[in-house]
């Protein structure tokens, strides 16, 4: 598994074999937390394997044991929890948690799963092993693309104004909002990998044709922001200022969008089944404005897409088909909503009493387990770039000596950040001493 191993082959096999779906009511429970830790380990090991380019056993294990459908269901379940239960939980009068770490783990669970899926879906056999749940995954990704497109009308990157987040819950809600944007970008990549297999997945083909309009809208700058005097781009999990000489360079996310559109529009099966009505033709021809010489130099394959659009402009639109259409539809979201309809408040109250009100001792034990899961050497190996200062976001070289979790560029930033970092630092340090 490469020079740096988090899991031994036999251990990874046991963790994958134990993956299962949890009811919404049990999210945050002891068994659920154990699975979350296992998923984080599998996630980090999968990234290490992909980085080392020495085979990817995590992906093989997930396919062999048929666990991709389980991951898809868990992904949609935690999405539903965040939409249906989390807001109710925050509104409960007696919900005043002293520590938000247990809730953060549930909120972060969606990001963990979509990140693992992004890593393994690069391989076509993973997409095929998803079976019918690939429809549910496409439906999930479509919801995230809709949020991403809606966000493109915002004024820009969220401001890091800490005075607005005076309570732990307000800070948690801020983190959840930022995380939602990154999850949507991961979903965009997952959906792009699914387009590589669209010829093999007959059931998903028609659904994917409905998604291409969202991809077209993603060609607008959802990951770019123009502020006075500078252009910012979301890359490597943060907003970065783009130098004028780099502004015409194709970003990874833009490339994913174009490759997905190429797959959807030029696939032989898609072209045989796609009814090019006047409306569809008009929408597709809008792509020509984006196919500049600079773009074609960076992605030469798009010349085929440009030729297709030129031919399309001269072709007569097809009349709408009146044939009988039998379509397979996603069912996980609808099933979960049907099973839990009218129970959202009851679930929130149950979790308040039994899940999100841990004792100080329970928190210390959990902090110890988190420290064992998030090994610093592994985190540094999977990090996309050098660590950043927790206060000012500059490149950092100094680490908090007490908890070893936060990074700083200088002593002054560490002192300014202590009011926010102090409680988490003490808890993490206590967890280390309990080992």
């Amino acid at each position: 598994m490469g020079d740096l191993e988090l899991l031994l082959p036999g251990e990874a096999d046991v963790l994958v074999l134990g993956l299962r779906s949890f009811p919404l009511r049990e999210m945050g429970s002891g068994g659920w937390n154990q699975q979350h830790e296992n998923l984080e380990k599998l996630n980090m090991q999968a990234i290490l394997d992909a980085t080392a380019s020495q085979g990817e056993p995590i992906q093989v294990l997930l396919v062999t044991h048929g666990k991709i459908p389980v991951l898809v269901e868990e992904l949609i379940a935690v999405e539903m929890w965040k939409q249906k239960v989390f807001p109710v939980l925050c509104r409960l009068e007696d919900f005043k948690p002293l520590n938000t770490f247990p809730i953060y783990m549930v909120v972060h669970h969606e990001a963990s799963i979509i990140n693992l899926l992004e890593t393994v879906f690069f391989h076509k056999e993973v997409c095929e092993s998803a079976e019918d749940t690939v429809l549910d995954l496409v439906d999930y990704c479509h919801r995230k693309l809709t949020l991403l497109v809606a966000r493109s009308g915002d004024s820009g990157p969220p401001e890091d104004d800490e005075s607005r987040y005076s309570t732990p819950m307000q800070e948690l809600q801020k983190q959840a909002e930022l995380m939602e944007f990154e999850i949507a970008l991961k979903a965009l990549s997952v959906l792009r990998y699914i387009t590589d297999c669209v010829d093999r997945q007959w059931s998903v083909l028609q659904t994917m044709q409905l998604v291409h309009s969202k991809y077209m809208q993603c060609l607008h700058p959802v990951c770019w922001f123009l502020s006075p005097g500078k252009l910012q781009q979301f890359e490597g999990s943060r907003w970065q200022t783009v130098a004028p000489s780099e502004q015409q360079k194709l970003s990874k996310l833009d490339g994913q969008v174009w490759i997905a559109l190429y797959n959807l529009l030029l696939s032989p099966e898609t072209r045989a089944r796609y009814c090019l009505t006047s409306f569809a033709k008009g929408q597709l021809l809008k792509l020509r404005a984006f196919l500049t010489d600079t773009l074609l130099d960076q992605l030469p394959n798009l010349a085929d897409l440009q030729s297709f659009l030129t031919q399309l402009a001269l072709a007569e639109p097809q009349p709408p088909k009146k044939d009988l259409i039998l379509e397979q539809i996603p069912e996980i979201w609808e099933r979960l909503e049907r099973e839990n309809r009218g129970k959202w408040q009851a679930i929130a109250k149950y979790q308040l009493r039994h899940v999100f009100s841990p004792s100080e001792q329970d928190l210390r034990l959990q902090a110890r387990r988190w420290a064992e899961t998030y090994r610093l050497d592994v985190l540094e190996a999977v990090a996309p770039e050098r660590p950043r200062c927790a206060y000012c976001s500059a490149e950092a070289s100094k680490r908090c000596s007490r908890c070893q979790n936060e990074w700083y560029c200088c002593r002054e930033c560490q002192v300014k950040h202590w009011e926010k970092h102090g409680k988490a630092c003490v808890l993490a340090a206590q967890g280390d001493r309990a080992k």
Side-chain angles (χ1 to χ4, degrees):
M1 289 190 184
D3 296 332
L4 181 60
E5 285 189 342
L6 176 65
L7 299 172
L8 298 173
E11 186 181 2
D13 187 78
V14 171
L15 295 187
V16 170
L17 198 57
L19 293 177
R20 66 183 182 89
S21 300
F22 281 82
L24 268 62
R25 178 187 175 97
E26 292 185 28
M27 288 191 175
S29 64
W32 183 94
N33 269 309
Q34 182 61 63
Q35 176 157 296
H36 175 76
E37 293 165 16
N38 294 344
L39 272 172
E40 287 286 22
K41 292 177 181 178
L42 292 170
N43 194 7
M44 289 187 282
Q45 187 63 62
I47 294 173
L48 289 174
D49 293 339
T51 304
S53 301
Q54 295 183 1
E56 300 189 30
I58 301 301
Q59 156 251 324
V60 173
L61 290 173
L62 289 170
V63 172
T64 301
H65 296 304
K67 294 298 182 179
I68 296 298
V70 174
L71 290 179
V72 173
E73 179 156 351
E74 273 289 280
L75 179 70
I76 295 172
V78 74
E79 178 197 20
M80 179 168 289
W81 183 91
K82 287 168 63 177
Q83 289 188 22
K84 303 290 188 178
V85 180
F86 184 47
V88 176
L89 191 65
C90 294
R91 290 195 298 267
L92 294 178
E93 292 183 3
D94 49 350
F95 183 60
K96 299 176 182 178
L98 298 177
N99 193 298
T100 57
F101 276 3
I103 309 171
Y104 176 81
M105 287 296 103
V106 183
V107 173
H108 184 260
H109 193 59
E110 183 180 6
S112 299
I113 298 176
I114 195 66
N115 194 70
L116 177 57
L117 291 177
E118 182 193 30
T119 303
V120 301
F121 258 77
F122 176 80
H123 304 275
K124 292 185 178 181
E125 60 267 24
V126 175
C127 182
E128 294 171 359
S129 72
E131 299 176 344
D132 290 344
T133 61
V134 72
L135 282 169
D136 296 277
L137 185 56
V138 169
D139 192 46
Y140 167 88
C141 293
H142 182 265
R143 290 194 292 272
K144 296 303 176 182
L145 282 187
T146 302
L147 292 174
L148 195 60
V149 170
R151 192 191 184 283
S152 65
D154 292 352
S155 57
E159 298 179 2
D160 191 15
D161 182 5
E162 294 188 9
S163 62
R164 293 167 52 199
Y165 309 105
S166 56
T167 68
M169 280 307 300
Q170 288 175 329
E171 175 66 21
L172 178 63
Q173 289 170 331
K174 170 204 170 187
Q175 291 173 339
E177 179 183 344
L178 295 175
M179 202 182 300
E180 195 65 34
F181 178 61
E182 296 191 44
I183 288 171
L185 297 181
K186 297 287 184 183
L188 186 151
S189 295
V190 170
L191 199 52
R192 199 286 280 175
Y193 292 136
I194 295 176
T195 66
D196 288 339
C197 311
V198 75
D199 285 349
R200 307 184 190 187
Q201 297 281 346
W202 313 115
S203 61
V204 80
L205 183 58
Q206 189 170 14
T207 304
M208 289 299 294
Q209 291 169 353
L210 301 176
V211 175
H212 88 272
S213 62
K214 292 299 179 187
Y215 263 119
M216 288 175 59
Q217 290 173 287
C218 285
L219 292 173
H220 296 281
V222 295
C223 304
W224 296 80
F225 172 59
L226 183 62
S227 60
K230 61 182 179 180
L231 183 70
Q232 289 185 292
Q233 178 187 12
F234 193 84
E235 190 82 32
S237 301
R238 66 187 183 91
W239 290 97
Q240 304 181 44
T241 300
V242 183
S245 60
E246 298 289 317
Q247 291 180 6
Q248 295 298 318
K249 185 177 179 181
L250 187 69
S251 70
K252 293 179 181 178
L253 290 167
D254 291 336
Q256 296 281 42
V257 173
W258 279 114
I259 294 171
L261 286 170
Y262 180 93
N263 290 340
L264 285 174
L265 298 176
L266 298 187
S267 158
E269 290 300 328
T270 301
R271 295 178 68 171
R273 289 170 166 76
Y274 196 5
C275 182
L276 289 170
T277 62
S278 297
F279 176 78
K281 177 181 175 180
Q283 292 296 306
L284 292 176
L285 291 179
K286 292 179 181 179
L287 290 172
R288 292 189 297 179
F290 297 98
L291 289 167
T292 63
D293 292 339
T294 304
L295 175 61
L296 293 175
D297 287 341
Q298 297 176 76
L299 270 181
N301 287 353
L302 294 182
D304 295 336
L305 178 59
Q306 189 177 50
S307 299
F308 165 74
L309 294 174
T310 300
Q311 297 171 14
L312 179 63
L314 301 175
E316 289 293 327
Q318 301 173 3
K321 293 182 179 179
K322 299 181 180 180
D323 300 337
L324 176 64
I325 298 176
L326 297 178
E327 181 183 357
Q328 190 175 356
I329 60 174
E331 61 87 29
I332 294 178
W333 177 277
E334 184 178 348
R335 171 170 56 78
L336 291 175
E337 191 172 39
R338 183 173 61 251
E339 291 172 355
N340 295 281
R341 187 176 291 121
K343 301 176 183 178
W344 312 120
Q345 189 164 9
I347 293 173
K349 289 182 176 180
Y350 173 84
Q351 293 183 325
L352 172 62
R353 292 193 303 270
H354 302 287
V355 178
F356 298 131
S357 299
S359 65
E360 197 69 27
Q361 182 179 4
D362 290 337
L363 282 175
R364 290 192 184 122
L365 291 174
Q366 190 62 56
R368 176 183 175 183
R369 294 175 64 172
W370 288 332
E372 293 171 350
T373 299
Y374 300 105
R375 279 173 39 190
L376 295 177
D377 57 339
V378 177
L379 290 176
E380 290 173 9
V382 302
E385 57 183 17
R386 291 185 60 83
R388 294 279 166 176
C389 177
Y391 184 77
C392 71
S393 298
E395 192 170 292
S397 59
K398 305 178 187 299
R399 180 185 282 166
C400 175
S401 60
R402 187 174 192 177
C403 70
Q404 297 287 307
N405 289 337
E406 292 286 15
W407 289 82
Y408 299 97
C409 62
C410 60
R411 173 68 178 170
E412 289 75 14
C413 281
Q414 184 176 12
V415 172
K416 292 176 182 177
H417 192 246
W418 177 251
E419 183 178 355
K420 177 180 178 182
H421 173 57
K423 293 182 180 178
C425 181
V426 171
L427 183 63
Q430 289 174 341
D432 287 339
R433 287 198 299 270
K435 292 182 180 180

